[in-house]
Amino acid sequence: MADNQLQVLNALDVAKTQWYHFTAIVIAGMGFFTDAYDLFCISLVTKLLGRIYYHEEGSSKPGSLPPNVAAATNGVAFCGTLAGQLFFGWLGDKLGRKKVYGMTLMIMVVCSIASGLSFGDKPKSVMATLCFFRFWLGFGIGGDYPLSATIMSEYANKKTRGAFISAVFAMQGFGIMAGGIFAIIVSTVFEAKFPAPAYADDALGSTVPQADFVWRIILMFGAIPASMTYYSRSKMPETARYTALVAKDSKQAAKDMSRVLQVEIEPEQILEEISTDKSKSFSLFSKEFMKRHGLHLLGTTSTWFLLDIAFYSQNLFQKDIFSAIGWIPPAQTMNAVQEVFKIARAQTLIALCSTVPGYWFTVVFIDVIGRFAIQLMGFFFMTVFMFALAIPYNHWTHKDNRIGFVIMYSLTFFFANFGPNATTFVVPAEIFPARFRSTCHGISAASGKLGAMVGAFGFLYLAQSPDKNKADAGYPPGIGVRNSLLVLGVINFLGILFTFLVPESKGKSLEEMSGENEKSEQNNNDSRAVQMV
């Protein structure tokens, strides 16, 4: 496999940035745009679902989803995503990246549309339908993580590979923002067409029957960007690294990359002694794998797990911040559609001011200062800001100090994205052998989604007031927000420590990182020695 594969792979490593690089970023990035839209748009409509289906006659507050229903509605897509990351990650290494890439997109298109439908109009049937299809939507989204990262890493040159992979991931920020903007448009149109009084003035009339269409339209819209890139995905050639290193067809790899790179790459015969190299035939989780890559896998899974606990738990105090600065007034002062508008506006502003800039700072600097430095810096500042919020927590609760609280909150998001939220996605696509690359990325990503569930739902219960009379309806007493923030600070500090298990991959080829070219280099050296003799 040495000479001609190295020629193909070297051509990719040293290729100048070309149009096909940007095409690959757009094709893979639109998948992540859709992923983020689909995963985060549910938070825009959960309040509306509560008003429509769980209204209580005579209550002073609008209806809200019961804790178990809210947890299922918000969390079922995470469960599907975790399953999809493991399954499609494994399948991507077995069947090839391209064959599996279209499957995930079709699942996303079908389930986005189906999420806006329901069997019947009773709360139980509507929520059961929604949760069923959002699980399978998450399943498709999960496949996009390892496949997009692996495809982009295997297409990119080694000089700008980090920027290309993180640019794909950065499309998440635009997806979150697009969800908010679309929800603003839909709610504005419905409010203009079907005006309604505030809940305090007319509890029943504040939720017009047409409001039921709002959440359905917002959820179903996710099918459009996904379907737009299906044709382009089907036309992408298989990556040369999979074709050459896994499928063992270097002639096809040379042919595909000659077309993509628009340069002539001579196909040569695979050397038999390297094709049958026993040192490279170890299986996943074998003793040899654990010796070579065990600590690397521990590093990528643990840091992604810890990061997502902190990242997804930040909505604990989001509602307090939005209320404090007047972005979201008390629920009873608005009608149902107005509340969707206010929530969407708040989330769009947060995405615009901190989430999107953080992602693109990573794109700009990842190949300059490296993955390790960015991840370490991100975890460090997240630790600092968590403790800065937690230790003087009572200080931040005073009305005069709320602006400082908002700034701190925004900075934690910024350094999550200009930090481990991006690098934990990039690194697993670079440091493992080609035949395990998609699987190991899927395992790392699934570990992150497990952390997301702990962060989003474990801390939702944990952050409840220790006084059961002050806890939210339906929730048991917890340890309070301040103590929860202290725990999150410790979690971020652990992220700093586990980052030291992850190697720096800046400026190195994928084969150099995974050790796949060791035998090739040895054979080249041996052949040169023979020639000299």
Side-chain angles (χ1 to χ4, degrees), residues 161 292-300 303 370-373 375 423 426-428 430-432 498-506 508 512-514:
R161 187 178 61 237
R292 293 183 181 218
H293 304 291
L295 286 177
H296 297 164
L297 188 59
L298 175 62
T300 58
T303 51
R371 291 77 163 139
F372 180 82
Q375 185 161 309
T423 54
V426 173
V427 174
E430 299 181 307
I431 64 176
F432 298 106
F498 279 100
T499 294
F500 286 95
L501 297 177
V502 182
E504 177 59 73
S505 50
K506 177 172 78 85
K508 298 177 182 178
E512 192 178 350
M513 288 305 303
S514 64

PDB file of all heavy atoms in Angstrom, residues 161 292-300 303 370-373 375 423 426-428 430-432 498-506 508 512-514:
ATOM      1  N   ARG A 161      -6.590  21.668   7.838  1.00  0.00           N
ATOM      2  CA  ARG A 161      -7.598  20.646   8.173  1.00  0.00           C
ATOM      3  C   ARG A 161      -8.447  21.049   9.377  1.00  0.00           C
ATOM      4  O   ARG A 161      -9.671  20.889   9.383  1.00  0.00           O
ATOM      5  CB  ARG A 161      -6.903  19.313   8.447  1.00  0.00           C
ATOM      6  CG  ARG A 161      -7.874  18.149   8.645  1.00  0.00           C
ATOM      7  CD  ARG A 161      -7.127  16.845   8.873  1.00  0.00           C
ATOM      8  NE  ARG A 161      -6.287  16.914  10.064  1.00  0.00           N
ATOM      9  CZ  ARG A 161      -4.968  16.697  10.057  1.00  0.00           C
ATOM     10  NH1 ARG A 161      -4.350  16.393   8.932  1.00  0.00           N
ATOM     11  NH2 ARG A 161      -4.281  16.783  11.177  1.00  0.00           N
ATOM     12  N   ARG A 292      -1.968   1.459  21.692  1.00  0.00           N
ATOM     13  CA  ARG A 292      -1.674   2.577  20.794  1.00  0.00           C
ATOM     14  C   ARG A 292      -2.617   3.762  20.999  1.00  0.00           C
ATOM     15  O   ARG A 292      -2.206   4.915  20.930  1.00  0.00           O
ATOM     16  CB  ARG A 292      -1.784   2.109  19.343  1.00  0.00           C
ATOM     17  CG  ARG A 292      -0.733   1.119  18.912  1.00  0.00           C
ATOM     18  CD  ARG A 292      -0.899   0.775  17.450  1.00  0.00           C
ATOM     19  NE  ARG A 292       0.078  -0.197  16.985  1.00  0.00           N
ATOM     20  CZ  ARG A 292       0.648  -0.162  15.793  1.00  0.00           C
ATOM     21  NH1 ARG A 292       0.348   0.807  14.948  1.00  0.00           N
ATOM     22  NH2 ARG A 292       1.510  -1.089  15.439  1.00  0.00           N
ATOM     23  N   HIS A 293      -3.901   3.473  21.187  1.00  0.00           N
ATOM     24  CA  HIS A 293      -4.909   4.543  21.142  1.00  0.00           C
ATOM     25  C   HIS A 293      -5.854   4.582  22.347  1.00  0.00           C
ATOM     26  O   HIS A 293      -6.783   5.385  22.362  1.00  0.00           O
ATOM     27  CB  HIS A 293      -5.750   4.404  19.864  1.00  0.00           C
ATOM     28  CG  HIS A 293      -4.951   4.389  18.609  1.00  0.00           C
ATOM     29  ND1 HIS A 293      -4.277   5.501  18.137  1.00  0.00           N
ATOM     30  CD2 HIS A 293      -4.681   3.388  17.720  1.00  0.00           C
ATOM     31  CE1 HIS A 293      -3.645   5.190  17.019  1.00  0.00           C
ATOM     32  NE2 HIS A 293      -3.866   3.918  16.740  1.00  0.00           N
ATOM     33  N   GLY A 294      -5.633   3.712  23.326  1.00  0.00           N
ATOM     34  CA  GLY A 294      -6.532   3.645  24.479  1.00  0.00           C
ATOM     35  C   GLY A 294      -6.635   4.960  25.233  1.00  0.00           C
ATOM     36  O   GLY A 294      -7.737   5.446  25.532  1.00  0.00           O
ATOM     37  N   LEU A 295      -5.480   5.558  25.551  1.00  0.00           N
ATOM     38  CA  LEU A 295      -5.492   6.835  26.278  1.00  0.00           C
ATOM     39  C   LEU A 295      -6.076   7.963  25.418  1.00  0.00           C
ATOM     40  O   LEU A 295      -6.736   8.865  25.945  1.00  0.00           O
ATOM     41  CB  LEU A 295      -4.073   7.205  26.728  1.00  0.00           C
ATOM     42  CG  LEU A 295      -3.514   6.403  27.911  1.00  0.00           C
ATOM     43  CD1 LEU A 295      -2.086   6.824  28.210  1.00  0.00           C
ATOM     44  CD2 LEU A 295      -4.388   6.575  29.160  1.00  0.00           C
ATOM     45  N   HIS A 296      -5.830   7.887  24.106  1.00  0.00           N
ATOM     46  CA  HIS A 296      -6.409   8.898  23.207  1.00  0.00           C
ATOM     47  C   HIS A 296      -7.935   8.831  23.247  1.00  0.00           C
ATOM     48  O   HIS A 296      -8.607   9.862  23.319  1.00  0.00           O
ATOM     49  CB  HIS A 296      -5.923   8.682  21.769  1.00  0.00           C
ATOM     50  CG  HIS A 296      -4.454   8.836  21.604  1.00  0.00           C
ATOM     51  ND1 HIS A 296      -3.772   8.387  20.488  1.00  0.00           N
ATOM     52  CD2 HIS A 296      -3.511   9.402  22.414  1.00  0.00           C
ATOM     53  CE1 HIS A 296      -2.483   8.661  20.618  1.00  0.00           C
ATOM     54  NE2 HIS A 296      -2.305   9.281  21.775  1.00  0.00           N
ATOM     55  N   LEU A 297      -8.483   7.602  23.187  1.00  0.00           N
ATOM     56  CA  LEU A 297      -9.943   7.444  23.213  1.00  0.00           C
ATOM     57  C   LEU A 297     -10.509   7.876  24.560  1.00  0.00           C
ATOM     58  O   LEU A 297     -11.572   8.509  24.622  1.00  0.00           O
ATOM     59  CB  LEU A 297     -10.322   5.994  22.906  1.00  0.00           C
ATOM     60  CG  LEU A 297     -11.816   5.715  22.708  1.00  0.00           C
ATOM     61  CD1 LEU A 297     -12.382   6.540  21.558  1.00  0.00           C
ATOM     62  CD2 LEU A 297     -12.061   4.224  22.451  1.00  0.00           C
ATOM     63  N   LEU A 298      -9.798   7.547  25.639  1.00  0.00           N
ATOM     64  CA  LEU A 298     -10.219   8.020  26.963  1.00  0.00           C
ATOM     65  C   LEU A 298     -10.232   9.545  26.997  1.00  0.00           C
ATOM     66  O   LEU A 298     -11.165  10.160  27.535  1.00  0.00           O
ATOM     67  CB  LEU A 298      -9.280   7.477  28.048  1.00  0.00           C
ATOM     68  CG  LEU A 298      -9.532   7.987  29.474  1.00  0.00           C
ATOM     69  CD1 LEU A 298     -10.923   7.588  29.948  1.00  0.00           C
ATOM     70  CD2 LEU A 298      -8.472   7.458  30.437  1.00  0.00           C
ATOM     71  N   GLY A 299      -9.216  10.163  26.396  1.00  0.00           N
ATOM     72  CA  GLY A 299      -9.144  11.627  26.370  1.00  0.00           C
ATOM     73  C   GLY A 299     -10.283  12.256  25.591  1.00  0.00           C
ATOM     74  O   GLY A 299     -10.913  13.213  26.046  1.00  0.00           O
ATOM     75  N   THR A 300     -10.591  11.712  24.395  1.00  0.00           N
ATOM     76  CA  THR A 300     -11.648  12.317  23.566  1.00  0.00           C
ATOM     77  C   THR A 300     -13.038  12.078  24.155  1.00  0.00           C
ATOM     78  O   THR A 300     -13.891  12.961  24.099  1.00  0.00           O
ATOM     79  CB  THR A 300     -11.604  11.770  22.124  1.00  0.00           C
ATOM     80  OG1 THR A 300     -11.743  10.343  22.132  1.00  0.00           O
ATOM     81  CG2 THR A 300     -10.308  12.157  21.437  1.00  0.00           C
ATOM     82  N   THR A 303     -13.318  14.249  27.710  1.00  0.00           N
ATOM     83  CA  THR A 303     -13.410  15.709  27.548  1.00  0.00           C
ATOM     84  C   THR A 303     -14.735  16.110  26.901  1.00  0.00           C
ATOM     85  O   THR A 303     -15.336  17.115  27.287  1.00  0.00           O
ATOM     86  CB  THR A 303     -12.235  16.250  26.709  1.00  0.00           C
ATOM     87  OG1 THR A 303     -12.114  15.509  25.486  1.00  0.00           O
ATOM     88  CG2 THR A 303     -10.930  16.161  27.473  1.00  0.00           C
ATOM     89  N   GLY A 370      -3.321  25.789  17.590  1.00  0.00           N
ATOM     90  CA  GLY A 370      -3.467  24.352  17.840  1.00  0.00           C
ATOM     91  C   GLY A 370      -4.690  23.980  18.639  1.00  0.00           C
ATOM     92  O   GLY A 370      -5.279  24.797  19.354  1.00  0.00           O
ATOM     93  N   ARG A 371      -5.048  22.703  18.522  1.00  0.00           N
ATOM     94  CA  ARG A 371      -6.256  22.191  19.200  1.00  0.00           C
ATOM     95  C   ARG A 371      -6.071  22.167  20.713  1.00  0.00           C
ATOM     96  O   ARG A 371      -6.967  22.548  21.467  1.00  0.00           O
ATOM     97  CB  ARG A 371      -6.575  20.761  18.746  1.00  0.00           C
ATOM     98  CG  ARG A 371      -7.055  20.608  17.314  1.00  0.00           C
ATOM     99  CD  ARG A 371      -5.900  20.713  16.354  1.00  0.00           C
ATOM    100  NE  ARG A 371      -6.201  20.204  15.027  1.00  0.00           N
ATOM    101  CZ  ARG A 371      -5.812  20.798  13.916  1.00  0.00           C
ATOM    102  NH1 ARG A 371      -5.129  21.951  13.952  1.00  0.00           N
ATOM    103  NH2 ARG A 371      -6.085  20.265  12.752  1.00  0.00           N
ATOM    104  N   PHE A 372      -4.898  21.683  21.141  1.00  0.00           N
ATOM    105  CA  PHE A 372      -4.637  21.524  22.571  1.00  0.00           C
ATOM    106  C   PHE A 372      -4.754  22.847  23.308  1.00  0.00           C
ATOM    107  O   PHE A 372      -5.422  22.942  24.341  1.00  0.00           O
ATOM    108  CB  PHE A 372      -3.237  20.925  22.765  1.00  0.00           C
ATOM    109  CG  PHE A 372      -2.853  20.712  24.193  1.00  0.00           C
ATOM    110  CD1 PHE A 372      -3.279  19.592  24.878  1.00  0.00           C
ATOM    111  CD2 PHE A 372      -2.067  21.642  24.870  1.00  0.00           C
ATOM    112  CE1 PHE A 372      -2.935  19.399  26.220  1.00  0.00           C
ATOM    113  CE2 PHE A 372      -1.713  21.465  26.192  1.00  0.00           C
ATOM    114  CZ  PHE A 372      -2.151  20.331  26.869  1.00  0.00           C
ATOM    115  N   ALA A 373      -4.123  23.898  22.773  1.00  0.00           N
ATOM    116  CA  ALA A 373      -4.134  25.205  23.430  1.00  0.00           C
ATOM    117  C   ALA A 373      -5.550  25.779  23.498  1.00  0.00           C
ATOM    118  O   ALA A 373      -5.953  26.339  24.531  1.00  0.00           O
ATOM    119  CB  ALA A 373      -3.212  26.171  22.689  1.00  0.00           C
ATOM    120  N   GLN A 375      -8.431  24.093  23.454  1.00  0.00           N
ATOM    121  CA  GLN A 375      -9.255  23.313  24.381  1.00  0.00           C
ATOM    122  C   GLN A 375      -8.899  23.618  25.823  1.00  0.00           C
ATOM    123  O   GLN A 375      -9.777  23.790  26.681  1.00  0.00           O
ATOM    124  CB  GLN A 375      -9.088  21.820  24.096  1.00  0.00           C
ATOM    125  CG  GLN A 375     -10.008  20.948  24.938  1.00  0.00           C
ATOM    126  CD  GLN A 375     -10.177  19.562  24.347  1.00  0.00           C
ATOM    127  OE1 GLN A 375     -10.493  19.421  23.173  1.00  0.00           O
ATOM    128  NE2 GLN A 375      -9.984  18.537  25.150  1.00  0.00           N
ATOM    129  N   THR A 423     -13.243  21.832  19.564  1.00  0.00           N
ATOM    130  CA  THR A 423     -12.077  20.937  19.470  1.00  0.00           C
ATOM    131  C   THR A 423     -12.425  19.484  19.766  1.00  0.00           C
ATOM    132  O   THR A 423     -11.805  18.572  19.200  1.00  0.00           O
ATOM    133  CB  THR A 423     -10.951  21.400  20.413  1.00  0.00           C
ATOM    134  OG1 THR A 423     -11.472  21.519  21.751  1.00  0.00           O
ATOM    135  CG2 THR A 423     -10.376  22.730  19.970  1.00  0.00           C
ATOM    136  N   VAL A 426     -13.346  18.121  16.510  1.00  0.00           N
ATOM    137  CA  VAL A 426     -12.284  18.062  15.502  1.00  0.00           C
ATOM    138  C   VAL A 426     -11.318  16.911  15.761  1.00  0.00           C
ATOM    139  O   VAL A 426     -11.019  16.103  14.859  1.00  0.00           O
ATOM    140  CB  VAL A 426     -11.507  19.402  15.459  1.00  0.00           C
ATOM    141  CG1 VAL A 426     -10.291  19.293  14.541  1.00  0.00           C
ATOM    142  CG2 VAL A 426     -12.421  20.536  15.006  1.00  0.00           C
ATOM    143  N   VAL A 427     -10.824  16.805  16.980  1.00  0.00           N
ATOM    144  CA  VAL A 427      -9.698  15.913  17.273  1.00  0.00           C
ATOM    145  C   VAL A 427      -9.986  14.426  17.028  1.00  0.00           C
ATOM    146  O   VAL A 427      -9.146  13.728  16.452  1.00  0.00           O
ATOM    147  CB  VAL A 427      -9.191  16.149  18.718  1.00  0.00           C
ATOM    148  CG1 VAL A 427      -8.121  15.125  19.092  1.00  0.00           C
ATOM    149  CG2 VAL A 427      -8.628  17.569  18.848  1.00  0.00           C
ATOM    150  N   PRO A 428     -11.159  13.883  17.425  1.00  0.00           N
ATOM    151  CA  PRO A 428     -11.377  12.450  17.179  1.00  0.00           C
ATOM    152  C   PRO A 428     -11.378  12.073  15.696  1.00  0.00           C
ATOM    153  O   PRO A 428     -11.194  10.900  15.363  1.00  0.00           O
ATOM    154  CB  PRO A 428     -12.762  12.193  17.794  1.00  0.00           C
ATOM    155  CG  PRO A 428     -12.980  13.291  18.759  1.00  0.00           C
ATOM    156  CD  PRO A 428     -12.270  14.472  18.188  1.00  0.00           C
ATOM    157  N   GLU A 430      -9.138  13.025  13.680  1.00  0.00           N
ATOM    158  CA  GLU A 430      -7.760  13.167  13.193  1.00  0.00           C
ATOM    159  C   GLU A 430      -6.784  12.147  13.752  1.00  0.00           C
ATOM    160  O   GLU A 430      -5.763  11.883  13.126  1.00  0.00           O
ATOM    161  CB  GLU A 430      -7.227  14.559  13.552  1.00  0.00           C
ATOM    162  CG  GLU A 430      -8.006  15.713  12.940  1.00  0.00           C
ATOM    163  CD  GLU A 430      -7.413  17.059  13.301  1.00  0.00           C
ATOM    164  OE1 GLU A 430      -7.210  17.317  14.508  1.00  0.00           O
ATOM    165  OE2 GLU A 430      -7.131  17.839  12.385  1.00  0.00           O
ATOM    166  N   ILE A 431      -7.051  11.581  14.913  1.00  0.00           N
ATOM    167  CA  ILE A 431      -5.992  10.860  15.626  1.00  0.00           C
ATOM    168  C   ILE A 431      -6.122   9.339  15.601  1.00  0.00           C
ATOM    169  O   ILE A 431      -5.242   8.645  16.100  1.00  0.00           O
ATOM    170  CB  ILE A 431      -5.894  11.342  17.093  1.00  0.00           C
ATOM    171  CG1 ILE A 431      -7.177  11.019  17.868  1.00  0.00           C
ATOM    172  CG2 ILE A 431      -5.583  12.826  17.149  1.00  0.00           C
ATOM    173  CD1 ILE A 431      -7.095  11.379  19.356  1.00  0.00           C
ATOM    174  N   PHE A 432      -7.201   8.798  15.006  1.00  0.00           N
ATOM    175  CA  PHE A 432      -7.398   7.354  14.972  1.00  0.00           C
ATOM    176  C   PHE A 432      -7.173   6.800  13.568  1.00  0.00           C
ATOM    177  O   PHE A 432      -7.320   7.520  12.576  1.00  0.00           O
ATOM    178  CB  PHE A 432      -8.804   7.002  15.466  1.00  0.00           C
ATOM    179  CG  PHE A 432      -9.060   7.409  16.895  1.00  0.00           C
ATOM    180  CD1 PHE A 432      -9.876   8.500  17.187  1.00  0.00           C
ATOM    181  CD2 PHE A 432      -8.473   6.724  17.949  1.00  0.00           C
ATOM    182  CE1 PHE A 432     -10.110   8.890  18.499  1.00  0.00           C
ATOM    183  CE2 PHE A 432      -8.694   7.104  19.258  1.00  0.00           C
ATOM    184  CZ  PHE A 432      -9.512   8.187  19.546  1.00  0.00           C
ATOM    185  N   PHE A 498      -8.163  16.210  31.831  1.00  0.00           N
ATOM    186  CA  PHE A 498      -8.301  15.150  30.823  1.00  0.00           C
ATOM    187  C   PHE A 498      -7.832  15.603  29.442  1.00  0.00           C
ATOM    188  O   PHE A 498      -7.541  14.763  28.580  1.00  0.00           O
ATOM    189  CB  PHE A 498      -9.743  14.652  30.772  1.00  0.00           C
ATOM    190  CG  PHE A 498     -10.070  13.652  31.847  1.00  0.00           C
ATOM    191  CD1 PHE A 498     -10.744  14.039  33.002  1.00  0.00           C
ATOM    192  CD2 PHE A 498      -9.688  12.324  31.721  1.00  0.00           C
ATOM    193  CE1 PHE A 498     -11.043  13.134  34.000  1.00  0.00           C
ATOM    194  CE2 PHE A 498      -9.977  11.394  32.712  1.00  0.00           C
ATOM    195  CZ  PHE A 498     -10.662  11.796  33.867  1.00  0.00           C
ATOM    196  N   THR A 499      -7.760  16.903  29.225  1.00  0.00           N
ATOM    197  CA  THR A 499      -7.241  17.409  27.945  1.00  0.00           C
ATOM    198  C   THR A 499      -5.797  16.963  27.712  1.00  0.00           C
ATOM    199  O   THR A 499      -5.364  16.797  26.566  1.00  0.00           O
ATOM    200  CB  THR A 499      -7.340  18.953  27.905  1.00  0.00           C
ATOM    201  OG1 THR A 499      -8.722  19.324  27.917  1.00  0.00           O
ATOM    202  CG2 THR A 499      -6.693  19.542  26.656  1.00  0.00           C
ATOM    203  N   PHE A 500      -5.051  16.718  28.787  1.00  0.00           N
ATOM    204  CA  PHE A 500      -3.649  16.309  28.649  1.00  0.00           C
ATOM    205  C   PHE A 500      -3.509  14.893  28.077  1.00  0.00           C
ATOM    206  O   PHE A 500      -2.400  14.478  27.730  1.00  0.00           O
ATOM    207  CB  PHE A 500      -2.926  16.413  30.001  1.00  0.00           C
ATOM    208  CG  PHE A 500      -2.628  17.838  30.384  1.00  0.00           C
ATOM    209  CD1 PHE A 500      -3.493  18.545  31.203  1.00  0.00           C
ATOM    210  CD2 PHE A 500      -1.492  18.481  29.922  1.00  0.00           C
ATOM    211  CE1 PHE A 500      -3.248  19.875  31.546  1.00  0.00           C
ATOM    212  CE2 PHE A 500      -1.219  19.797  30.266  1.00  0.00           C
ATOM    213  CZ  PHE A 500      -2.097  20.504  31.075  1.00  0.00           C
ATOM    214  N   LEU A 501      -4.611  14.151  27.957  1.00  0.00           N
ATOM    215  CA  LEU A 501      -4.573  12.827  27.333  1.00  0.00           C
ATOM    216  C   LEU A 501      -4.699  12.904  25.812  1.00  0.00           C
ATOM    217  O   LEU A 501      -4.483  11.909  25.117  1.00  0.00           O
ATOM    218  CB  LEU A 501      -5.711  11.947  27.872  1.00  0.00           C
ATOM    219  CG  LEU A 501      -5.689  11.606  29.361  1.00  0.00           C
ATOM    220  CD1 LEU A 501      -6.925  10.799  29.722  1.00  0.00           C
ATOM    221  CD2 LEU A 501      -4.417  10.835  29.720  1.00  0.00           C
ATOM    222  N   VAL A 502      -5.054  14.087  25.297  1.00  0.00           N
ATOM    223  CA  VAL A 502      -5.340  14.241  23.869  1.00  0.00           C
ATOM    224  C   VAL A 502      -4.121  14.841  23.171  1.00  0.00           C
ATOM    225  O   VAL A 502      -3.654  15.916  23.543  1.00  0.00           O
ATOM    226  CB  VAL A 502      -6.573  15.150  23.654  1.00  0.00           C
ATOM    227  CG1 VAL A 502      -6.901  15.270  22.171  1.00  0.00           C
ATOM    228  CG2 VAL A 502      -7.782  14.603  24.420  1.00  0.00           C
ATOM    229  N   PRO A 503      -3.584  14.165  22.127  1.00  0.00           N
ATOM    230  CA  PRO A 503      -2.387  14.675  21.446  1.00  0.00           C
ATOM    231  C   PRO A 503      -2.701  15.858  20.534  1.00  0.00           C
ATOM    232  O   PRO A 503      -3.828  16.013  20.073  1.00  0.00           O
ATOM    233  CB  PRO A 503      -1.914  13.472  20.622  1.00  0.00           C
ATOM    234  CG  PRO A 503      -3.162  12.700  20.340  1.00  0.00           C
ATOM    235  CD  PRO A 503      -4.039  12.881  21.553  1.00  0.00           C
ATOM    236  N   GLU A 504      -1.698  16.674  20.273  1.00  0.00           N
ATOM    237  CA  GLU A 504      -1.830  17.787  19.332  1.00  0.00           C
ATOM    238  C   GLU A 504      -1.680  17.255  17.916  1.00  0.00           C
ATOM    239  O   GLU A 504      -0.736  16.526  17.620  1.00  0.00           O
ATOM    240  CB  GLU A 504      -0.772  18.846  19.625  1.00  0.00           C
ATOM    241  CG  GLU A 504      -0.782  20.028  18.647  1.00  0.00           C
ATOM    242  CD  GLU A 504      -2.121  20.747  18.626  1.00  0.00           C
ATOM    243  OE1 GLU A 504      -2.426  21.455  19.593  1.00  0.00           O
ATOM    244  OE2 GLU A 504      -2.860  20.566  17.631  1.00  0.00           O
ATOM    245  N   SER A 505      -2.605  17.619  17.025  1.00  0.00           N
ATOM    246  CA  SER A 505      -2.578  17.120  15.645  1.00  0.00           C
ATOM    247  C   SER A 505      -2.340  18.226  14.623  1.00  0.00           C
ATOM    248  O   SER A 505      -2.393  17.976  13.419  1.00  0.00           O
ATOM    249  CB  SER A 505      -3.888  16.395  15.331  1.00  0.00           C
ATOM    250  OG  SER A 505      -5.013  17.179  15.694  1.00  0.00           O
ATOM    251  N   LYS A 506      -2.072  19.426  15.089  1.00  0.00           N
ATOM    252  CA  LYS A 506      -1.851  20.571  14.180  1.00  0.00           C
ATOM    253  C   LYS A 506      -0.676  20.306  13.243  1.00  0.00           C
ATOM    254  O   LYS A 506       0.422  19.961  13.670  1.00  0.00           O
ATOM    255  CB  LYS A 506      -1.583  21.836  14.997  1.00  0.00           C
ATOM    256  CG  LYS A 506      -1.271  23.076  14.147  1.00  0.00           C
ATOM    257  CD  LYS A 506      -1.199  24.323  15.010  1.00  0.00           C
ATOM    258  CE  LYS A 506       0.099  24.453  15.757  1.00  0.00           C
ATOM    259  NZ  LYS A 506       1.170  25.082  14.978  1.00  0.00           N
ATOM    260  N   LYS A 508      -0.001  17.958  11.196  1.00  0.00           N
ATOM    261  CA  LYS A 508       0.425  16.584  10.959  1.00  0.00           C
ATOM    262  C   LYS A 508      -0.581  15.870  10.061  1.00  0.00           C
ATOM    263  O   LYS A 508      -1.778  16.160  10.103  1.00  0.00           O
ATOM    264  CB  LYS A 508       0.573  15.825  12.282  1.00  0.00           C
ATOM    265  CG  LYS A 508       1.619  16.418  13.208  1.00  0.00           C
ATOM    266  CD  LYS A 508       1.660  15.671  14.530  1.00  0.00           C
ATOM    267  CE  LYS A 508       2.678  16.282  15.488  1.00  0.00           C
ATOM    268  NZ  LYS A 508       2.681  15.591  16.795  1.00  0.00           N
ATOM    269  N   GLU A 512       0.250  10.135  10.040  1.00  0.00           N
ATOM    270  CA  GLU A 512       1.277  10.416  11.050  1.00  0.00           C
ATOM    271  C   GLU A 512       0.674  10.324  12.450  1.00  0.00           C
ATOM    272  O   GLU A 512       1.289   9.784  13.371  1.00  0.00           O
ATOM    273  CB  GLU A 512       1.855  11.813  10.802  1.00  0.00           C
ATOM    274  CG  GLU A 512       3.105  12.131  11.588  1.00  0.00           C
ATOM    275  CD  GLU A 512       3.652  13.507  11.265  1.00  0.00           C
ATOM    276  OE1 GLU A 512       3.172  14.143  10.291  1.00  0.00           O
ATOM    277  OE2 GLU A 512       4.557  13.951  11.979  1.00  0.00           O
ATOM    278  N   MET A 513      -0.550  10.843  12.611  1.00  0.00           N
ATOM    279  CA  MET A 513      -1.208  10.812  13.919  1.00  0.00           C
ATOM    280  C   MET A 513      -1.604   9.392  14.314  1.00  0.00           C
ATOM    281  O   MET A 513      -1.497   9.005  15.479  1.00  0.00           O
ATOM    282  CB  MET A 513      -2.455  11.697  13.908  1.00  0.00           C
ATOM    283  CG  MET A 513      -2.168  13.188  13.876  1.00  0.00           C
ATOM    284  SD  MET A 513      -1.088  13.740  15.215  1.00  0.00           S
ATOM    285  CE  MET A 513      -1.989  13.193  16.663  1.00  0.00           C
ATOM    286  N   SER A 514      -2.091   8.613  13.358  1.00  0.00           N
ATOM    287  CA  SER A 514      -2.602   7.277  13.666  1.00  0.00           C
ATOM    288  C   SER A 514      -1.531   6.202  13.618  1.00  0.00           C
ATOM    289  O   SER A 514      -1.758   5.071  14.046  1.00  0.00           O
ATOM    290  CB  SER A 514      -3.720   6.910  12.689  1.00  0.00           C
ATOM    291  OG  SER A 514      -3.215   6.834  11.366  1.00  0.00           O
TER     292      SER A 514
END
